[in-house]
Amino acid sequence: MMKMTRRALMAAVATMPLMAYAANAEGLMSIIVTDPANPYWFTEGEVAKKTAEDMGYTANVAAHKGDTNVESQLIDTAITNKSVAIILDPANADGSVGAVKKAVDAGIPVFLVNAEINQEGLAKAQLVSNNAQGAALGAEQWVADVGEAGNYVELFGNPADNNAATRSNGYETVITQYPDLVKVGKEVANWDRTQGYQKMQSLLQANPDIIGVISGNDEMALGAIAALKEAGKLDQVKVGGFDGSPDAVEAVKAGEMQYTVLQPVAVFSAEAVKQADNFIKTGETGAATEKQLFDCLLITKDNVDNYTAAFTLSE
């Protein structure tokens, strides 16, 4: 295994084009992610692209930024370009069903990564992190860090993404076992660092005595940390994240974030491309089920030195 930061990944990808684009005969694999400005989704797209190119396909990465209309347009483009497969991180559990169906009706197999849609039998595979398992890991560590009594708040992801509710429910299942831990505020921050910062400011004003913040992802957690720093309260409030992004790993090293839950994004992104390749060649994905879960790992101050980067790219 080779551990790779975002900068190193970009440099590695930059050295590949002449070799990768020589194999046009294998066809185009279209990769659609949410927003590569987020290092998690950047890694998702670049790992899938590199894996496809290493297999002899041409590949491109586009982003819908959570907009189902843009997602539908990108699916149209993939159809027009006669893609041999589509790797898609869906924008909306319900709202993306139509886009997937459109591709399937055009004879293009679709492989979903990171998030699911609320219909089985359309996509050839849905490969996601085991969010319930990861949330339980994170919540147990969070309780160990904040203690068993006090007021806390939660930052919730995009409500259109099933992962947001799954993580929140996982947190709730663990934390409600400690009746003296009281959730006094919960805000939707849509996986976004700026919104996490803004919502944290509001939550702090309303609840100045909180002892902890549990967040649905790292970007929102990092926004909360910025707001806590600004208010001079970071030493009094413990923050937990989810994703294992490079910035979060650095925050854990610095003692600003208690932990992050690492999603194996590079693993399932590469696996989706491999299953697409298998399907193109044999008509089968090679997997036993459509929905496939990949367990998460916990990164804390005790093991953070083992993670020079949060995302790993298999050679």
Side-chain angles (χ1 to χ4, degrees), residues 131-218:
N131 282 279
Q133 172 260 351
L137 269 182
E140 288 163 3
Q141 183 63 45
W142 185 87
V143 172
D145 289 329
V146 303
E148 298 183 9
N151 294 337
Y152 75 96
V153 296
E154 178 183 354
L155 291 173
F156 189 89
N158 181 352
D161 184 341
N162 286 349
N163 291 339
T166 300
R167 293 174 197 173
S168 183
N169 292 339
Y171 296 158
E172 191 83 3
T173 298
V174 173
I175 297 173
T176 52
Q177 296 175 43
Y178 304 89
D180 293 328
L181 282 170
V182 181
K183 181 161 60 179
V184 294
K186 177 179 176 179
E187 291 285 351
V188 172
N190 290 302
W191 310 130
D192 183 75
R193 190 180 304 200
T194 300
Q195 290 187 43
Y197 168 78
Q198 294 167 342
K199 296 299 177 69
M200 190 69 246
Q201 286 182 314
S202 299
L203 287 165
L204 267 179
Q205 289 172 2
N207 308 281
D209 63 339
I210 59 170
I211 61 168
V213 180
I214 193 161
S215 175
N217 83 335
D218 287 336

Side-chain angles (χ1 to χ4, degrees), residues 2 4 6-22 42 46 49-50 53-54 313 315:
M2 174 179 63
M4 186 171 285
R6 174 172 173 156
R7 180 180 298 172
L9 183 55
M10 290 176 72
V13 169
T15 66
M16 287 190 269
L18 292 177
M19 175 185 68
Y21 284 94
F42 174 86
E46 293 305 309
K49 182 174 183 285
K50 182 183 186 301
E53 291 177 344
D54 284 350
L313 179 62
E315 291 184 304

Side-chain angles (χ1 to χ4, degrees), residues 233-251:
K233 291 199 168 186
L234 186 57
D235 59 340
Q236 304 164 39
V237 182
K238 293 180 169 59
V239 181
F242 198 114
D243 274 348
S245 75
D247 286 351
V249 171
E250 290 305 312

